[in-house]
Amino acid sequence: MQELYLISLCALVFFSILAVLLKDLLKAALSLMAASVFLAVVLFFMKAYYAGVFEISVVAGLITVLFVSTIGLTRGDDFKESKLPVYIFPLFFIWFIIIDILIMYLLLSKMPPLTKWLPESGKFGDVLWQKRTFDLFAQIGIIFAGVFSVLALFRKRDKND
Amino acid sequence: MVSLFIIIPFVLAAFLPLIEKVSKRFLPDLLTNLAILFLLIYSMTFGYQVVASHSGIRHFQWFNQNLNIVFALDGFSLFMLFAIYLVSFGVTLFSIDYMEHYGSKGIFYALFMIMVGGMSGLVLATDLFTIYVFLEVAAISSYGLVAYGLKHDELEASFKYLALSAVATAFLLLGIALIFSITGSLKLGDIAERFFKEDAKFIMYICTGFFIFGFGLKAALVPFHSWLPDAHPSAPAPISAMLSGLLIKVSGVYALTRIFLNVFGLTPAVSTVLMYLGIISILVGAVLALGQDDIKRMLAYSSISQVGYIILGFGAGTSFAIMGALFHILNHALAKGLLFLNSGSVEHSTGTRDLNKMGGLGKRMPITAATTVVGSLSVAGVPPLNGFWSKLFIIIGLLQARAYGFAFVAVLASIITLWYYIIIQRRAFFGKLKETLQNVKEVPFWMALSTLLIALVCIIIGIGFPVVISKWITPAVNILEYGIRYAMQYLRL
């Protein structure tokens, strides 16, 4: 279980860096989607079920659809992918891990122990249907917004279009 | 029912694309305008009663079962709702004629209503995560609306807006997650109490940094402003009016203010940071606006400058400064909304936004020219228009806080603001009419009526400002001045 958690974390960082460094926007958007999926997995491991669901549905789902639609509509000619990421990745990754360890060490050493407060926890169904109903309504709004945005992007402006 | 503020926009949005199949223009126009007018009147009557009777916290019930849906309609959220619906009504009236050539009005209005519903939900939310989710509702619909013209510039601007908003979202989520991990709750009242009782200053300052970055980007504060001059001018004029007039204030300024004044409490350090961010935004926005030839880009930079005034007022934290900042939210939403609509009118009639290609338009477009004068003078803070009073209150508030340098720069920037608005007037509306513009005509009825109404409201608020202050602003000021005690007492559900 712990290994899976670590693999997900590494994959999250890897795909996030890929999303930043890739020149092809479509590949970058897909990398972002992959990063979001791994982030959702991490959130599930951390028992933040509803955050994981939101991450998958909103970021990995809707936002990716918007990204891909926009890229599809605006994309020009294809171009060759730079080989720079291949060299930069390992260096960036090592640098990131060092900084990450330093920051986490600093944060954890100064984090006040407020464990007596009970977090909003429970099974996924309890959280979504009983504890955070209001967010469910808002998520319906997000889905509507995403669907209508895609419809707006692919609409016909007039009879000649 | 307080929930109607959210239910009406979402339900109408869901049905508008279907209604469009029955009637392409008339029914979507009529229903959207009626819904927004109803919400405006509802906020002024029912909403005001709820706030006056201090019964604004509502649990949502379904067959006598609590659904854990909690709204808090207080003086601050009601004031924001009033501003949202007032500007939205002017915008939907304007859209009747303006959006004719864009096609698919049903989908346009559906996205518009989702944006309004998202903003309403955000100001009524009592929970940090709910604030974030409604912020996303409004943001996602605004990406679609910015790209609505489907031209290259619009799609690119929408993409840039989306990408930078995603960065802001990441920081907000990080802050929210950190708060949740420490306090075990996301309810504003609980967070306020736990931060107040426990020594968690270090974490609070980290979250403060994340929120300043996240909400500052949404509010387009300098140095997080780079997305706004592309996104707002590229959108159709009614959407520019909504984004610049309302969205940056609701999703940026409102959320920032609610959290810093009612949940974390305004510490001297945060106050200083906010004041510096405000004054830098005022100056940078004003100076950058001066060099623009595109009328909409000039207005967009002006928005950055004016948001700076609002943040400066909240940062100062004195009664007058908070009152001025709140009043400026309303005044700037109205005046900048009006100016963006007028820039749409000019583009609609002349086909250009370039000030170099304009001149003498006042002869052909008298209503647009006259209402632009009202909007410009209001934003610049010329008496007796509404913008004057709010800026005056902010400056008095700064003097109260002994921030004399900030007050001096705020006055100076106001003069720069007047300067670039005079440039717009002189280059677009005064002087000799250019030959290429000989056939230009005044805009259609609904567009002209909408701008006239907003200009009239600017004048009425300017003259009758004591009524607005006592009826709408003071209840909101009281809540913000009550600080974290308000959240601990009323937002713990």
Side-chain angles (χ1 to χ4, degrees):
Chain A
M1 207 66 166
Q2 191 69 20
E3 289 78 14
L4 249 167
Y5 180 57
L6 280 173
I7 290 168
S8 304
L9 269 176
C10 292
L12 164 63
V13 175
F14 176 78
F15 281 107
S16 303
I17 299 166
L18 210 61
V20 174
L21 292 177
L22 280 173
K23 273 194 172 178
D24 186 331
L25 284 177
L26 193 62
K27 286 177 189 168
L30 292 174
S31 300
L32 184 67
M33 184 196 73
S36 289
V37 171
F38 283 109
L39 177 59
V41 172
V42 170
L43 290 170
F44 274 105
F45 274 121
M46 295 168 86
K47 297 184 178 172
Y49 304 113
Y50 50 90
V53 172
F54 275 99
E55 185 63 33
I56 284 186
S57 62
V58 178
V59 183
L62 275 171
I63 301 276
T64 307
V65 169
L66 280 176
F67 269 131
V68 173
S69 321
T70 313
I71 294 163
L73 284 165
T74 54
R75 200 181 168 102
D77 294 322
D78 285 338
F79 51 85
K80 284 185 180 175
E81 190 65 60
S82 164
K83 286 190 175 176
L84 201 62
V86 178
Y87 306 110
I88 289 180
F89 272 157
L91 290 172
F92 194 84
F93 195 58
I94 292 164
W95 174 81
F96 177 85
I97 287 173
I98 293 168
I99 298 290
D100 194 26
I101 289 168
L102 283 173
I103 291 174
M104 289 311 289
Y105 179 75
L106 190 77
L107 276 178
L108 287 172
S109 62
K110 292 197 175 182
M111 194 85 92
L114 293 181
T115 45
K116 62 183 172 184
W117 305 110
L118 285 174
E120 289 179 70
S121 59
K123 288 178 183 172
F124 172 65
D126 297 339
V127 170
L128 200 62
W129 295 104
Q130 288 172 22
K131 293 188 174 174
R132 305 204 60 87
T133 330
F134 197 16
D135 296 336
L136 195 67
F137 282 87
Q139 200 184 10
I140 292 167
I142 289 182
I143 291 165
F144 270 134
V147 170
F148 291 145
S149 295
V150 173
L151 284 176
L153 287 171
F154 288 99
R155 77 187 191 280
K156 283 184 178 177
R157 284 191 59 176
D158 55 46
K159 286 173 187 171
N160 299 324
D161 279 348
Chain B
M1 269 196 351
V2 177
S3 48
L4 282 184
F5 289 120
I6 300 166
I7 290 173
I8 288 177
F10 282 159
V11 169
L12 185 60
F15 287 103
L16 272 167
L18 298 173
I19 292 165
E20 195 189 20
K21 304 278 178 201
V22 181
S23 164
K24 280 205 165 187
R25 287 170 187 161
F26 179 70
L27 275 181
D29 282 332
L30 181 74
L31 288 174
T32 311
N33 277 283
L34 281 180
I36 295 287
L37 183 62
F38 170 78
L39 288 170
L40 175 63
I41 296 169
Y42 195 62
S43 68
M44 292 169 77
T45 52
F46 169 79
Y48 193 74
Q49 280 171 14
V50 168
V51 171
S53 61
H54 303 288
S55 57
I57 314 287
R58 294 292 166 98
H59 285 271
F60 201 70
Q61 289 201 327
W62 185 264
F63 294 114
N64 294 326
Q65 293 276 318
N66 267 335
L67 268 180
N68 198 35
I69 296 178
V70 183
F71 307 115
L73 182 65
D74 55 29
F76 190 20
S77 46
L78 180 67
F79 167 73
M80 294 303 294
L81 286 177
F82 172 65
I84 290 168
Y85 302 135
L86 190 60
V87 178
S88 298
F89 183 58
V91 168
T92 47
L93 267 186
F94 188 87
S95 302
I96 295 173
D97 285 327
Y98 186 83
M99 293 307 294
E100 277 298 313
H101 62 281
Y102 278 87
S104 292
K105 263 191 175 177
I107 290 174
F108 168 76
Y109 282 132
L111 282 169
F112 183 88
M113 291 307 281
I114 291 171
M115 187 163 75
V116 170
M119 287 194 278
S120 306
L122 198 158
V123 297
L124 290 169
T126 58
D127 173 300
L128 213 50
F129 195 69
T130 308
I131 286 178
Y132 158 73
V133 181
F134 274 104
L135 190 141
E136 283 300 294
V137 174
I140 290 175
S141 49
S142 68
Y143 306 146
L145 287 167
V146 168
Y148 205 78
L150 295 181
K151 288 177 192 156
H152 180 269
D153 285 355
E154 289 153 354
L155 290 166
E156 188 190 330
S158 175
F159 192 79
K160 192 173 177 180
Y161 176 29
L162 192 156
L164 284 170
S165 277
V167 177
T169 297
F171 274 87
L172 294 178
L173 266 182
L174 208 58
I176 292 169
L178 204 54
I179 287 176
F180 184 61
S181 70
I182 287 296
T183 63
S185 177
L186 291 169
K187 292 184 175 67
L188 298 179
D190 286 348
I191 298 166
E193 189 182 355
R194 287 163 197 186
F195 273 143
F196 178 69
K197 285 185 177 169
E198 305 292 329
D199 183 25
K201 285 266 184 294
F202 178 70
I203 297 299
M204 201 169 86
Y205 279 125
I206 290 177
C207 295
T208 300
F210 288 153
F211 286 150
I212 284 181
F213 188 92
F215 290 124
L217 207 146
K218 295 274 181 191
L221 278 173
V222 175
F224 320 114
H225 67 288
S226 61
W227 61 274
L228 188 139
D230 284 333
H232 289 196
S234 303
I239 300 311
S240 302
M242 285 297 284
L243 296 180
S244 223
L246 288 173
L247 194 67
I248 56 171
K249 296 191 189 75
V250 175
S251 59
V253 176
Y254 169 82
L256 200 73
T257 312
R258 180 67 96 180
I259 289 168
F260 283 164
L261 271 70
N262 278 151
V263 181
F264 289 177
L266 194 64
T267 61
V270 174
S271 168
T272 310
V273 170
L274 289 181
M275 284 174 77
Y276 272 103
L277 278 175
I279 206 77
I280 292 167
S281 295
I282 289 172
L283 274 179
V284 173
V287 172
L288 289 175
L290 264 177
Q292 304 300 321
D293 287 325
D294 183 326
I295 190 168
K296 274 184 149 186
R297 279 185 86 82
M298 191 182 268
L299 295 176
Y301 278 114
S302 165
S303 288
I304 294 167
S305 179
Q306 298 307 310
V307 165
Y309 276 99
I310 296 167
I311 292 294
L312 179 65
F314 284 127
T318 59
S319 295
F320 265 105
I322 293 175
M323 187 188 287
L326 284 165
F327 199 17
H328 205 59
I329 288 179
L330 175 67
N331 293 338
H332 180 250
L334 282 165
K336 189 50 65 66
L338 172 62
L339 288 170
F340 265 114
L341 293 182
N342 279 338
S343 71
S345 298
V346 169
E347 194 181 4
H348 179 88
S349 296
T350 65
T352 182
R353 296 186 331 222
D354 190 345
L355 284 167
N356 295 320
K357 294 176 184 168
M358 296 176 200
L361 281 174
K363 296 181 181 75
R364 289 282 183 270
M365 305 175 72
I367 295 173
T368 305
T371 50
T372 305
V373 171
V374 174
S376 301
L377 296 181
S378 172
V379 176
V382 174
L385 288 160
N386 53 350
F388 167 73
W389 301 110
S390 49
K391 280 192 181 175
L392 183 69
F393 289 139
I394 291 172
I395 288 159
I396 294 173
L398 289 170
L399 295 176
Q400 258 184 351
R402 296 177 188 276
Y404 303 115
F406 288 94
F408 175 74
V409 178
V411 174
L412 188 76
S414 200
I415 296 164
I416 302 175
T417 310
L418 183 61
W419 184 7
Y420 59 73
Y421 278 112
I422 287 173
I423 289 175
I424 293 183
Q425 295 298 326
R426 193 165 50 81
R427 289 171 74 183
F429 297 106
F430 295 161
K432 199 180 166 190
L433 184 69
K434 289 205 172 174
E435 279 197 16
T436 48
L437 304 173
Q438 291 293 337
N439 297 324
V440 165
K441 286 178 188 168
E442 185 55 276
V443 289
F445 175 75
W446 291 109
M447 286 164 73
L449 178 71
S450 150
T451 51
L452 267 176
L453 279 178
I454 300 177
L456 203 63
V457 173
C458 285
I459 296 167
I460 291 170
I461 291 178
I463 296 166
F465 76 94
V467 179
V468 181
I469 294 284
S470 63
K471 193 170 177 182
W472 295 100
I473 314 280
T474 307
V477 174
N478 291 340
I479 282 161
L480 292 175
E481 276 198 319
Y482 205 37
I484 55 171
R485 283 170 296 165
Y486 173 77
M488 289 196 288
Q489 203 168 338
Y490 296 106
L491 300 178
R492 294 191 62 201
L493 293 153

